[in-house]
Amino acid sequence: MTTDALCDVPLEVRQSYARSRSLRVGPQILAGGSPTGPLAGTSTVVKDLFAIEGHRIGAGNPDWLAAARIESSHAWAVKRWTDAGASVIGIAHSDELAFSLSGTNAHYGTPVNAAAPEHVPGGSSSGSVAAVAAGRVDYALATDTAGSTRVPASYCGTFGVRTTHGRIPMTGVVPLAPFFDTVGVLAATGEALQRAATVLLEPGAGPQATAAPPTEIVLATDLLALADSDTAAAVTAAARGLAEVAGVPVTEATLAGVGTLADWQQLFTVRQMADIWATHGAWVTSRHPNLGPGVTSRMRQAAAADPERARLADVGREMVREKIESTIPPGGMLAFATAAGPAPRIDLPGTAKAELRNRTIAMTCVAGLGGLPAVSLPLTTVAGLPVGVCLVGHPGDDETLLAAATVADRLLAPIRRVKP
């Protein structure tokens, strides 16, 4: 399919995509789906890090796009979805090189957060989440390194899953920090999340696997304490509500304590920065690309990262997994807030944005450092703004998390019925 093959969509739909500012390319058929399969008849958009045959990857930066070659094949995850029946109708905007959590791209603008238009959509999967939140597609392809699927899901009131590190091949995806990078999926409902993500997790694109929901929900009191107090209270109540619907017990536990959490965040940050410089440093120094101010500042930090200290993240991963093993029973899930608070306003001052980002990464880095699966469920609000409940599982417990998302659908059903 050539790049100018148009999708047969009404003008008002194309205009609505333009208003949402979610796509760099589209809406048009970029990759047609198989006529059969679990995703047959559905359409999706993919983050501007995934290769699509006949197109160039932009990675959220015009200089990267200008030098990019036309891809000769799909990324592994894109091919899985098209083989399962999904048609790709858009390339969704990303923060530059996926190196941000806000979604405010200095070159392409900010995709609209349909749940709160004056607030950021979250990044780096900003375009993907904007398309889902606005109802343009039921599910979209994303990535997650430090929270780039989970944080947008929380800010925009959608579902979002970060898969176990290494479980889904990253072939054909522009990397950021390979020690942490994973494929993510954003979706409008838990059922859509389970259906789309299962295609990527299963060996074949046949009927989806069944999985039991969590056997227990463990509230992580130390991680909840990192969030704003009203966010922590709302998430605690929502997690208890989820457990009641699922018919499972709720317990409370301290995962690691303040000091250890701070150590984990430092290990995560040093390794992330070192990996980023190893991945993109040569391009930055040779190309001198035009980067936004926030990415420029963080890239300087990456250039100064100590590769020797970065190796301590291997030990950190084992520490996180040991804590998860001793804190959560088999089949159980750790619960806390996806982000430190609701989506900040687009015009929030830089110092306040940095403080919020730092607290959020202190929470999201647990799954990142541990290579663990995590899901964000849109179960509550604070001051009318969406706030996600994050569940983290043992390595490989992706299907259990997806089953929890379908339980969340049952909890949300009465709310959806009364919406106009």
Side-chain angles (χ1 to χ4, degrees), residues 378-402:
L379 293 179
T380 189
T381 61
V382 170
L385 299 173
V387 169
V389 175
C390 183
L391 300 181
V392 170
H394 297 270
D397 276 357
D398 306 71
E399 285 84 358
T400 304
L401 289 171
L402 296 173

Side-chain angles (χ1 to χ4, degrees), residues 11-68:
L11 176 61
E12 61 269 22
V13 174
R14 298 178 66 81
Q15 290 174 333
S16 70
Y17 265 109
R19 287 194 297 271
S20 71
R21 300 195 293 274
S22 58
L23 302 183
R24 180 176 68 78
V25 179
Q28 61 194 56
I29 296 179
L30 308 180
S34 168
T36 60
L39 302 180
T42 66
S43 58
T44 188
V45 300
V46 305
K47 187 175 183 176
D48 196 10
L49 297 179
F50 290 83
I52 299 177
E53 182 180 351
H55 296 265
R56 294 178 296 158
I57 300 174
N61 180 271
D63 290 329
W64 185 283
L65 178 64

Side-chain angles (χ1 to χ4, degrees), residues 274-361:
D275 269 19
I276 288 169
W277 192 250
T279 301
H280 294 302
W283 178 72
V284 170
T285 55
S286 64
R287 180 80 181 184
H288 302 291
N290 179 17
L291 300 171
V295 177
T296 295
S297 175
R298 288 189 290 278
M299 197 60 78
R300 291 195 187 104
Q301 295 176 45
D306 182 354
E308 292 301 318
R309 288 187 62 221
R311 293 190 178 92
L312 293 173
D314 295 285
V315 177
R317 174 156 292 179
E318 292 306 313
M319 290 172 58
V320 173
R321 291 190 172 194
E322 287 172 5
K323 284 288 188 180
I324 290 290
E325 185 71 24
S326 63
T327 304
I328 311 173
M333 294 286 143
L334 195 71
F336 52 98
T338 303
R345 289 183 59 90
I346 294 173
D347 58 0
L348 184 72
T351 53
K353 185 184 293 186
E355 189 274 337
L356 178 65
R357 183 178 189 276
N358 184 63
R359 282 193 292 130
T360 294
I361 290 179

Side-chain angles (χ1 to χ4, degrees), residues 46-51 57-60 92 94-95 97-98 124 143 172-174:
V46 305
K47 187 175 183 176
D48 196 10
L49 297 179
F50 290 83
I57 300 174
S94 168
D95 275 319
L97 307 177
S124 59
T143 63
V173 184
V174 175

